């Protein structure tokens, strides 16, 4: 396997084409190597980001994921949103078998920085075109799922949260099969998998059971695209005050059926995403769409983004417009009018709809080190605080307002 230390170096004044760089890094992570180079028996590599984020309003602290806690004032420089450190080791057991383990430390719910095992799988290659893996791998929900923790591999400071916050499950325990073959001037990749996953967020613990997914990708000649579909059983155990208050009120009023709709069991969920990346004449265009459909407990929502960037020597300035919409509120069961105010606040606390316009740049300042800066204007939708959740009831009774977020980071691989 190629480690990060064997990843292609960056020229001192001009960054290489992004797609080969991204492919080299992800091949390193996946434990792959070319037939011409004998991979080492053991390899150790790593990656990290140190980031700072702040908003221009004290009661609006930005979150890129529902796994991040929400108590720090927004106008403080917050290092927890984007900072991450990861280490990966791979052991080549034979020509057909290898073992990969990856651990990542970043702030999770409960202000916990305990390293989390994100990859731990046995990889078997029965043929040159077929790979089988068993253990813990990445959930293929998004176009950049494999590099969610490796910010160095992407042009942004972070992937657009309007899309990537739609699904907080990041790893899957199960088995998958990946078929790769040439298709004209393109490379075709088909992945099928089954498994389960678990996550702890600010307001709930969640499980995916009996997850089944199919992903199809094409790449070549500066263009890549992929689409994926997942169907799963969803189980949630809500722990936040809004949920507990609403459920207690419904039970006390004898609304047992309505209270059962908040129980968090026996839900089904579907997730679909599709996107592409195109690079030509130093221009980069990236677009992605994702939709989360759930029959109860959480909202059904969709999001999309469009990024256009241009490489100028070691710099890559870019602009991104992103949007997330709620299709169905989290709680839709009819209840007496007396419960309507609390139901409204409950649904607003689950609604993360917003749109944003971001300007940023990447500067490849040294070999395997990139500096990034981004400023964005984020406008939460009506009856939503967007990705600025709060545990304070009064915050959901105030009109929403646009928020400006400044983010800075240094990304590196080693």
């Amino acid at each position: 396997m190629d480690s990060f230390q064997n990843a292609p170096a960056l020229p001192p004044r001009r960054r290489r084409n992004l797609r080969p760089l991204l492919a080299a890094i992800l091949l390193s992570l996946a434990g792959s190597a070319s037939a011409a180079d004998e991979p080492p028996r053991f390899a150790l590599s790593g990656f990290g980001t140190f980031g700072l984020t702040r908003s221009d309003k004290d009661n609006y602290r930005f979150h890129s994921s529902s796994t991040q806690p929400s108590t720090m004032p927004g106008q403080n420089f917050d290092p927890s949103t984007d900072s991450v450190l990861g280490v990966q080791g791979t052991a080549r057991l034979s020509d057909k078998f290898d073992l990969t383990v990856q651990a990542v430390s970043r702030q999770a719910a409960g202000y916990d920085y305990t390293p989390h095992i994100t990859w731990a799988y046995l990889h078997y290659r029965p043929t040159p075109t077929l790979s089988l893996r068993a253990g813990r791998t990445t959930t293929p929900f998004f176009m950049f799922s494999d590099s969610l923790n490796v910010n160095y591999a992407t042009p942004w400071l972070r992937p657009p949260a309007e899309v990537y916050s739609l699904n907080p499950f990041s790893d899957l325990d199960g088995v998958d099969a990946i078929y790769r073959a040439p298709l004209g001037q393109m490379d075709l990749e088909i992945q099928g998998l089954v498994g389960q996953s678990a996550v702890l967020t600010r307001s709930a613990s969640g499980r995916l059971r009996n997850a089944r997914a199919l992903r199809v990708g094409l790449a070549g000649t500066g263009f890549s695209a992929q689409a994926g579909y997942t169907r799963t059983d969803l189980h949630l155990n809500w722990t936040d005050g809004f949920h507990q208050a609403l459920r207690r009120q419904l039970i006390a009023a004898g609304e047992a059926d309505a209270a059962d709709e908040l129980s968090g069991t026996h839900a089904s969920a579907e997730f679909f995403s599709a996107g592409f990346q195109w690079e030509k004449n130093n221009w980069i265009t990236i677009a992605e769409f994702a939709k989360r459909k759930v029959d109860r407990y959480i909202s059904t929502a969709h999001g999309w983004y469009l990024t256009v960037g241009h490489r100028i020597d070691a710099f890559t300035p870019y602009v991104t417009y992103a949007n997330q919409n709620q299709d169905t509120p989290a709680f839709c069961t009819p209840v007496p009018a007396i419960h309507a105010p609390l139901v409204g606040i409950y649904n607003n606390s689950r609604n993360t709809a917003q749109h944003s316009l971001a300007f940023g740049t990447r500067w490849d300042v040294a070999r395997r080190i990139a500096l990034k800066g981004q400023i964005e204007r984020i406008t939460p939708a009506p009856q939503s605080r967007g990705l600025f959740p709060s545990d304070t009831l009064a915050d959901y009774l105030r009109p929403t307002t646009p928020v400006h977020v400044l983010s800075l980071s240094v990304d590196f691989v080693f």
Side-chain angles (χ1 to χ4, degrees):
M1 185 201 79
D2 295 331
S3 70
F4 275 123
Q5 296 178 357
N6 294 327
L10 299 175
R13 294 293 297 171
R14 185 174 180 85
R15 186 162 60 88
R16 294 183 60 175
N17 180 271
L18 179 64
R19 189 69 198 182
L21 175 62
L22 175 59
I25 292 173
L26 296 185
L27 284 174
S28 166
L29 285 172
S32 300
S34 67
D37 299 322
E38 179 69 16
R41 181 68 63 180
F42 300 99
L44 185 67
S45 55
F47 53 88
T49 293
F50 177 73
L52 294 172
T53 301
R54 66 172 295 175
S55 76
D56 63 347
K57 293 180 174 59
D58 218 24
N59 63 332
Y60 281 81
R61 181 195 170 193
F62 175 76
H63 298 78
S64 61
S65 168
S66 61
T67 62
Q68 297 167 347
S70 58
T71 58
M72 181 180 291
Q75 288 182 302
N76 286 12
F77 273 105
D78 181 7
S80 67
T81 301
D82 299 303
S83 296
V84 59
L85 181 64
V87 178
Q88 176 186 301
T90 297
R92 185 169 61 89
L93 307 179
S94 69
D95 291 340
K96 294 183 179 294
F97 284 93
D98 57 64
L99 178 67
T100 298
V101 178
Q102 182 187 98
V104 170
S105 176
R106 69 184 312 160
Q107 190 183 67
Y111 303 92
D112 185 11
Y113 283 91
T114 302
H116 173 69
I117 301 298
T118 52
W119 287 1
Y121 62 82
L122 182 66
H123 184 199
Y124 171 54
R125 293 174 296 277
T127 72
T129 60
L130 181 63
S131 295
L132 305 176
R133 299 186 300 179
R136 176 166 294 180
T137 58
T138 301
T139 52
F141 292 138
F142 303 104
M143 189 163 58
F144 291 92
S145 286
D146 277 344
S147 59
L148 277 181
N149 292 309
V150 192
N151 292 330
Y152 180 84
T154 62
W156 311 288
L157 191 138
R158 73 180 71 86
E162 285 81 359
V163 168
Y164 281 76
S165 66
L166 285 171
N167 199 323
F169 293 91
S170 60
D171 47 59
L172 190 90
D173 297 330
V175 296
D176 72 355
I178 303 174
Y179 172 78
R180 300 182 179 93
L183 185 65
Q185 295 185 345
M186 309 284 283
D187 293 320
L188 171 68
E189 182 173 286
I190 302 174
Q191 179 185 17
L193 61 88
V194 294
Q196 61 185 12
S197 184
V199 70
L200 181 64
T201 71
R202 284 186 306 273
S203 55
S205 59
R207 284 190 175 275
L208 302 182
R209 294 178 178 170
N210 194 28
R212 295 89 70 198
L214 178 67
R215 182 183 64 86
V216 178
L218 283 171
T221 63
F223 178 83
S224 63
Q226 78 166 38
Y229 173 78
T230 303
R231 186 175 181 87
T232 182
D233 299 327
L234 174 65
H235 299 260
L236 295 174
N237 179 26
W238 292 108
T239 57
D240 68 290
F242 295 143
H243 174 270
Q244 294 171 358
L246 177 58
R247 195 158 192 268
R248 283 196 302 266
Q249 186 180 99
L250 293 174
I251 292 174
E255 300 288 339
D257 291 342
D260 285 344
E261 288 297 307
L262 298 172
S263 63
T265 58
H266 309 300
S268 63
E270 297 174 88
F271 196 82
F272 169 79
S273 68
F276 75 88
Q277 178 174 317
W278 182 46
E279 301 180 42
K280 187 174 183 180
N281 299 328
N282 291 327
W283 286 93
I284 304 170
T285 304
I286 310 173
E288 190 170 6
F289 171 89
K291 183 178 178 67
R292 175 187 71 210
K293 183 179 180 181
V294 187
D295 62 356
R296 61 181 72 181
Y297 315 138
I298 60 176
S299 64
T300 292
H302 69 273
W304 61 272
Y305 68 83
L306 174 66
T307 293
V308 177
H310 184 61
R311 288 191 299 274
I312 307 170
D313 292 329
F315 292 90
T316 307
Y318 62 86
V319 58
T320 297
Y321 180 82
N323 186 73
Q324 183 186 124
N325 288 305
Q326 177 179 262
D327 301 314
T328 306
F331 185 73
C332 301
T333 304
V335 295
I338 191 173
H339 305 304
L342 189 54
V343 168
I345 293 172
Y346 176 84
N347 281 334
N348 292 350
S349 70
R350 268 79 180 152
N351 183 5
T352 55
Q354 65 177 43
H355 65 267
S356 68
L357 180 64
F359 296 91
T361 190
R362 170 184 175 133
W363 177 22
D364 287 284
V365 64
R367 189 183 185 193
R368 302 189 182 95
I369 299 176
L371 302 181
K372 298 177 182 178
Q374 177 176 289
I375 186 166
E376 54 195 313
R377 178 183 172 90
I378 301 174
T379 305
Q383 286 86 48
S384 166
R385 282 179 58 88
L387 293 170
F388 303 92
S390 174
D391 298 323
T392 303
L393 175 63
D395 286 340
Y396 288 95
L397 301 176
R398 301 187 181 102
T400 56
T401 180
V403 185
H404 298 88
V405 176
L406 172 66
S407 303
L408 305 169
S409 75
V410 54
D411 302 334
F412 54 90
V413 294
F414 57 91

